[in-house]
C-alpha cells in the first residue's frame, strides 16, 4: 500500500510540474489566455463538507489522440479555468486522497465558446484515505532551506502555554530569566506576527509574549538568515509567529478551554465564515495565570570593608488577558483582494515580590536584615488596525501587495513598596511608590511587487516605512516623617524616543534544473532621537546602511539539496536599553539604559544540506557570524553593596556553530525529532580600560518523542543547555522535561489533552558574576512545575487532513528557495 501511495504522489507532483510548465495559470483571468474567448471552467468541492479543494489538478486531453493539451490548478476557492483552442476534449480531475473524475464530450467551437461545468463534487477515496491522512498530517518540525517551520499546535508540551513558553520549546531558541528571547545564543532577534511587526509583542517583547495565548498560534517560523525582503533588524535572525486563520467555505471554527495548577485557566475560540465574495474571521482568547517563582543571590563585595550579602527573592506574577481579533477578506474579483483586520489586547497584571536582605561582615556578624515588599499593578492596552490590498496580475506569481498598519500600545505600572528592618522592633521604616506611564505609537506602510518575468526568473522590489514614537513618564516617590510624598532622587524622569526607518529593497532570483540563486540588496535610512525632559538632554543618531543578501542552492536529486547563504543585519538598541531610568523593584540590583548606544552590525554566513528521505528529514549545517559594536550589559558596584547593570558597546564577537535538525518516523506509531547545536563564541571588548572577553564552547540539545497507541498520543520531550561563559562570569547548565498525552473524542470533533511541564522542576537559571570589587552566585526560577488539562472542540474542521492552505503572512516569506 505504501508503494501505491508513493507512486501516486510522485505522479501527482509530476503532473503539477508539467501543468505549471506548459499550461495556463489557473483560477484567475488573464495570462496568455486573456484574449482567448474559449474557456472551460468549474469548481471542485468536497461532497461531504462542502469545502473547496485548493491545488487540485484539472488536466485536459484531446479526444483524437489522448494527448495532454492543457491544464490548471484550482485556486483557494476550488475554481479552475482553462483556455484552450477550439476542439474536442475530455477532462480529468484529481486531488490527493480523492477519487478522480472524468468529464467527457467537451466541445469548443464558435457556437460554444464557454463551458461552465459549475460545481463538481468529489468523494474521498476509501482505499487510500487512511494512509494519506496519516502522511498528510503536519509534522511538528518541517525543514525548509530558508527556514524551519514548527507547527506548535501539534506539540502537546505547548497546550495551555503562552508564546514565551512555546518559544522556549523551540530548537536553537532560548528564553532567559527575564523572558528575553535569544536565537543561537544571541538576543538580537526580530519577532514578527504574520510577517509584520505587531502590537501583540508590546513595548517589551518579554511581557507581550507572556500575554499571547498559545492556543491562538498556528505555527512559528525560525529564519536564521533572512533575505533582503525582510527588515534588516535582528542580527541573529527572525522569529515569525503565524496566527490561526481559516479560509474554508461556509462556517467553521474551533474552541479550546484549559485549566492547570498553579492557576492557569483559559478559553480561546476562532471562527471563520466564507460565502460569496467575503471571508470573515475572528478569534477571542481569555486567560488567567499565576506564576510563582523566585530565587536567591549571594554576593561578596570588596569595598571599604568586605561585605557578604544574601538576597532571597520570592514572587508571584498573576495576569488576566483578553485578545480580540476580527477581520474580513473581500474578493473584489479573482484578481483583487482587500483585507481589513483589527486586534485588541487588554491585559491586567498583579505582581507581588518579597525580597529579604541579609548583610554580614567578614566575621559573620549580621549587620542588617531587611524585608521589602513590592506590590505592582500593570494595565496594558494594545490596539492594532491593518488594511491590505493584493492585486494578482498576468502570469503565475505576478502580484502587487500594499499594507498599512497602525498600532497603539499604552502601559501603566503602579507600585507600592514598603520595607522594614527585621533586627529591630520598630514599625515600617520606609514607604515608597512609583508610577510608569508608557505610550507606543506605530505607523507602517509597505508596498511589494513580485514579477516572475521568465521561466525560473523572478524580480521583487518593495518599500517599507515605519514611524515610531515611545514615551515613558517615570516617577518614584518616598514619604517623609510628616507623611508627605516627595520625588526620590535619581529615579524620576520623562523620556521620549522617536524612530523613523525607511527602506527599499530589490531581489533577483533564478531557478534552474539543478542550480538556483538569489541576490538581494536592502537600503535603510534610520533617524533616531531621544530626549530626557528632566535633564534637558537630547541625542540624535542618523545613518544610512546597505544590507546585501545572497542564496545559492543545488539539488543533487529529489532527496538531497545544499544551500549557501549570506546576509548582513543590524540590531538597533531597544527602548529599554536607551532609557536611562528603567527599574526600582530591587534597589540592590538596579538596571538602567544608555542613550549613547550605537547599533550592532552582523555579517552572517550559513552552509547546510537537507535530506528528505521516505521516513525522515535531516538538516545539517554550519554557520558563522561576525558582529561589530556588540552590546552587553555590564554590572558595576561602587560600594560592593549594590550593583548597577548598564548596556554598553564593548567590541566585537565571532560565533561559529554546527547545527542539525531531524525528524524520523521509524514506525507508523512513532515519531522522533530533535535538534543539536554546538557553537563557539568569542567576544573581545573593553569597558573603562577593563578588558572584557570570553571564549566559550557550549551546546544545546533537544529531543522529542511521540508515540501513538490506539487513539491515544503520548509525548515525552526534553532539552539540555550546557554551561556557557559570559564576559563577566558563567551561566551554568540547565535541563527540563515535559510530558503530555491526548485522545480524540466525540467522533474526532474533540480532543482531550493532559500535560505536565518541567516534570523534575529543574528549569532554574543559575550563574555567577565576577567584577573588580564583587563576586556573585545566583539562582532563579521563573515558574515552577505545572500540570493541567485542556479540551478542544472543532466545528466543520478535520483535525488530521491538511489541504495545503496558506496561512496569513506566508505569502511574503515562503519563496526564497
Amino acid at each position: 500500500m505504501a508503494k501505491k501511495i508513493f507512486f501516486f504522489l510522485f505522479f501527482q507532483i509530476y503532473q503539477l510540474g508539467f501543468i505549471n510548465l506548459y499550461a495556463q495559470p489557473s483560477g484567475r483571468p488573464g495570462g496568455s489566455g486573456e484574449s482567448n474567448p474559449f474557456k472551460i471552467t468549474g469548481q471542485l468541492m468536497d461532497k461531504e463538507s462542502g469545502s473547496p479543494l485548493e491545488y487540485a489538478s484539472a488536466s485536459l486531453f484531446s479526444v483524437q489522440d489522448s494527448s495532454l493539451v492543457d491544464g490548471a490548478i484550482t485556486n483557494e476557492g476550488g475554481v479552475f479555468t482553462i483556455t484552450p483552442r477550439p476542439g474536442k476534449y475530455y477532462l480529468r480531475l484529481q486531488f490527493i486522497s480523492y477519487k478522480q473524475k472524468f468529464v467527457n464530450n467537451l466541445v469548443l467551437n464558435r457556437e460554444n465558446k464557454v463551458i461552465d461545468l459549475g460545481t463538481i463534487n468529489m468523494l474521498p477515496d476509501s482505499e487510500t484515505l487512511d494512509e494519506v491522512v496519516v502522511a498528510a498530517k503536519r509534522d511538528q518540525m518541517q525543514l525548509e532551506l530558508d527556514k524551519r517551520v514548527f507547527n506548535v499546535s501539534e506539540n502537546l508540551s505547548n497546550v495551555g502555554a503562552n508564546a514565551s513558553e512555546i518559544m522556549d520549546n523551540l530548537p536553537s531558541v532560548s528564553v532567559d530569566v527575564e523572558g528575553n528571547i535569544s536565537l543561537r545564543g544571541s538576543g538580537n532577534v526580530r519577532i514578527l506576527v504574520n510577517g509584520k511587526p505587531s502590537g501583540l509583542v508590546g513595548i517589551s517583547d518579554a511581557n507581550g509574549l507572556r500575554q499571547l495565548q498559545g492556543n491562538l498560534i498556528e505555527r512559528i517560523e525560525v529564519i536564521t538568515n533572512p533575505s533582503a525582503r525582510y527588515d534588516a533588524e535582528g542580527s541573529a535572525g527572525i522569529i515569525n509567529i503565524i496566527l490561526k486563520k481559516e479560509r474554508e467555505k461556509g462556517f467553521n471554527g474551533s474552541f479550546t478551554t484549559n485549566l492547570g495548577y498553579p492557576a492557569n485557566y483559559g478559553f480561546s475560540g476562532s471562527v471563520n465564515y466564507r460565502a460569496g465574495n467575503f471571508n470573515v474571521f475572528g478569534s477571542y482568547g481569555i486567560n488567567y495565570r499565576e506564576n510563582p517563582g523566585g530565587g536567591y543571590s549571594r554576593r561578596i563585595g570588596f569595598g571599604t570593608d568586605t561585605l557578604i550579602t544574601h538576597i532571597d527573592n520570592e514572587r508571584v506574577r498573576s495576569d488576566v488577558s483578553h485578545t480580540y481579533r476580527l477581520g474580513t477578506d473581500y474578493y473584489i474579483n479573482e484578481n483583487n483582494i482587500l483585507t481589513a483586520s483589527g486586534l485588541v489586547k487588554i491585559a491586567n497584571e498583579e505582581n507581588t515580590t518579597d525580597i529579604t536582605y541579609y548583610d554580614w561582615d567578614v566575621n559573620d556578624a549580621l549587620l542588617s536584615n531587611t524585608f521589602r515588599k513590592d506590590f505592582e499593578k500593570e494595565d496594558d492596552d494594545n490596539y492594532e488596525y491593518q488594511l491590505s490590498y493584493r492585486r494578482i496580475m498576468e502570469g503565475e506569481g505576478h502580484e502587487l501587495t500594499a499594507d498599512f498598519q497602525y498600532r497603539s500600545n499604552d502601559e501603566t505600572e503602579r507600585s507600592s513598596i514598603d520595607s522594614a528592618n527585621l533586627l529591630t522592633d520598630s514599625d515600617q521604616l520606609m514607604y515608597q511608590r512609583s508610577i510608569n506611564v508608557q505610550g507606543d505609537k506605530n505607523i507602517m506602510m509597505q508596498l511589494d511587487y513580485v514579477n516572475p518575468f521568465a521561466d525560473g526568473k523572478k524580480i521583487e522590489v518593495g518599500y517599507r516605512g515605519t514611524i515610531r514614537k515611545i514615551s515613558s513618564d517615570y516617577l518614584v516617590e518616598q514619604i517623609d516623617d510628616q507623611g508627605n510624598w516627595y520625588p526620590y532622587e535619581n529615579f524620576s524622569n520623562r523620556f521620549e524616543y522617536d524612530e523613523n526607518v525607511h527602506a527599499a529593497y530589490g531581489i533577483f532570483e533564478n531557478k534552474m534544473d539543478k542550480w538556483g540563486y538569489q541576490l538581494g540588496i536592502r537600503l535603510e535610512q534610520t533617524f533616531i532621537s531621544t530626549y530626557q525632559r528632566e535633564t534637558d538632554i537630547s541625542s540624535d543618531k542618523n545613518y544610512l546602511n546597505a544590507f546585501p543578501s545572497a542564496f545559492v542552492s543545488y539539488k543533487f536529486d529529489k532527496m538531497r539539496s545544499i544551500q549557501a547563504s549570506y546576509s548582513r543585519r543590524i540590531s538597533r538598541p531597544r527602548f529599554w536599553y536607551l532609557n536611562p531610568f528603567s527599574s526600582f523593584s530591587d534597589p540592590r540590583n538596579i538596571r538602567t539604559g544608555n542613550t549613547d548606544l550605537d547599533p550592532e552590525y552582523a555579517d552572517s554566513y550559513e552552509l547546510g544540506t537537507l535530506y528528505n528521505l521516505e521516513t525522515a528529514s535531516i538538516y545539517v549545517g554550519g554557520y558563522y557570524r561576525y558582529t561589530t559594536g556588540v552590546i552587553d550589559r555590564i554590572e558595576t558596584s561602587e560600594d560592593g553593596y549594590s550593583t548597577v547593570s548598564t548596556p554598553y558597546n564593548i567590541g566585537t564577537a565571532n560565533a561559529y556553530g554546527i547545527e542539525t535538525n531531524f525528524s524520523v518516523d521509524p514506525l507508523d506509531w512513532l515519531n522522533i525529532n530533535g535538534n543539536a547545536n554546538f557553537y563557539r563564541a568569542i567576544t573581545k571588548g573593553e569597558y573603562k580600560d577593563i578588558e572584557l572577553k570570553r571564549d566559550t564552547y557550549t551546546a544545546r540539545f533537544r529531543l522529542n518523542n511521540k508515540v501513538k497507541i490506539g487513539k491515544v498520543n503520548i509525548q515525552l520531550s526534553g532539552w539540555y543547555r550546557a554551561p556557557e561563559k559570559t564576559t563577566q562570569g558563567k551561566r551554568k547548565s540547565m535541563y527540563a522535561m515535559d510530558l503530555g498525552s491526548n485522545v480524540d473524542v466525540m467522533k474526532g470533533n474533540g480532543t482531550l489533552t493532559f500535560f505536565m511541564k518541567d516534570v523534575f522542576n529543574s528549569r532554574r537559571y543559575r550563574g555567577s558574576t565576577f567584577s573588580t570589587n564583587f563576586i556573585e552566585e545566583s539562582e532563579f526560577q521563573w515558574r515552577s512545575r505545572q500540570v493541567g488539562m485542556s479540551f478542544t472542540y472543532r466545528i466543520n474542521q478535520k483535525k488530521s487532513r491538511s489541504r495545503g492552505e496558506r496561512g496569513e503572512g506566508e505569502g511574503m516569506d515562503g519563496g526564497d528557495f
Side-chain angles (χ1 to χ4, degrees), residues 748-765:
N749 292 319
T751 300
L752 189 62
T753 303
F754 303 88
F755 59 88
M756 177 182 291
K757 301 176 184 177
D758 196 8
V759 174
F760 301 110
N761 204 31
S762 58
R763 196 187 302 251
R764 300 171 186 268
Y765 300 83

Side-chain angles (χ1 to χ4, degrees), residues 600-658:
E600 291 185 358
Y601 294 93
D603 292 277
S604 180
Y605 306 82
E606 193 160 347
L607 175 66
T609 181
L610 177 65
Y611 295 85
N612 285 311
L613 307 176
E614 185 175 354
T615 59
S617 295
I618 303 172
Y619 172 83
V620 180
Y623 60 90
Y624 167 66
R625 184 172 61 243
Y626 175 70
T627 307
T628 59
V630 171
I631 298 175
D632 196 11
R633 279 196 172 273
I634 306 300
E635 286 193 43
T636 59
S637 177
E638 297 294 333
D639 53 9
Y641 184 74
S642 60
T643 63
V644 178
S645 174
T646 308
Y648 294 96
N649 295 104
I650 64 168
T652 63
N654 291 272
Y656 311 83
I658 298 176

